[in-house]
Amino acid sequence: MSLSFGSLTKRTLHLCIDIQNAFAEPTPWLAPWMARVLPAVEEIAGRYPRQTVFTRFIPPARAEDMPGSWQRYFRHWEEMTLERVDPRLLDLVPSLAGLVPPAVVIDKHVYSPFVERRLLQVLCERQADALVMLSV
């Protein structure tokens, strides 16, 4: 297969965004397409765990802890705040959890993983030259 911007290398990282129980199980945040995405994530991460970076979305303790519209969002999904959610739902799905380490987990508190300094640190440390991204 030909790639538009060159071949993938040993410095290419696999970024798996929010492949967590909260999105895989019957919760208010269930992502029905997780069943279709998960086999591809398992295949790539299983082959290249050292090149895999997982993110986990970690909600605030309370809606009031968030600014602006995020407060309204988390009031609507109050059962998913840290005060109420089953902590197990924030974990990676079981089939991926065993890959850590050598895979890395970065917790994030907003939608985008790219605002987390830890992600930038990992990309720099590993001298990443490309990202393959999978998300729910």
Side-chain angles (χ1 to χ4, degrees):
M1 176 173 133
S2 177
L3 299 174
S4 300
F5 300 103
S7 299
L8 302 180
T9 72
K10 292 182 189 251
R11 292 186 305 156
T12 298
L13 296 183
H14 177 222
L15 181 60
C16 304
I17 301 170
D18 304 347
I19 313 295
Q20 297 167 253
N21 293 322
F23 304 107
E25 296 182 13
T27 72
W29 287 352
L30 171 67
W33 52 90
M34 175 75 85
R36 292 190 317 268
V37 172
L38 189 55
V41 175
E42 291 168 338
E43 175 70 21
I44 295 169
R47 284 188 189 199
Y48 305 101
R50 292 185 194 293
Q51 291 171 256
T52 299
V53 178
F54 295 111
T55 66
R56 293 187 318 158
F57 179 73
I58 306 297
R62 296 168 303 284
E64 295 75 32
D65 294 341
M66 297 299 285
S69 295
W70 284 109
Q71 282 187 16
R72 186 172 48 251
Y73 178 86
F74 282 105
R75 278 190 205 107
H76 179 79
W77 301 110
E78 208 160 21
E79 67 270 29
M80 298 303 287
T81 59
L82 284 180
E83 281 188 337
R84 297 188 179 184
V85 73
D86 177 351
R88 184 192 63 74
L89 292 174
L90 303 178
D91 292 339
L92 297 175
V93 297
S95 61
L96 299 175
L99 299 175
V100 179
V104 174
V105 175
I106 296 173
D107 290 344
K108 62 188 188 69
H109 303 280
V110 295
Y111 180 75
S112 174
F114 295 101
V115 299
E116 294 296 332
R117 289 188 173 151
R118 178 73 179 119
L119 178 58
L120 179 59
Q121 181 182 9
V122 169
L123 296 177
C124 290
E125 286 170 358
R126 306 252 179 122
Q127 299 179 333
D129 59 4
L131 289 176
V132 174
M133 295 176 33
L134 289 172
S135 177
V136 293

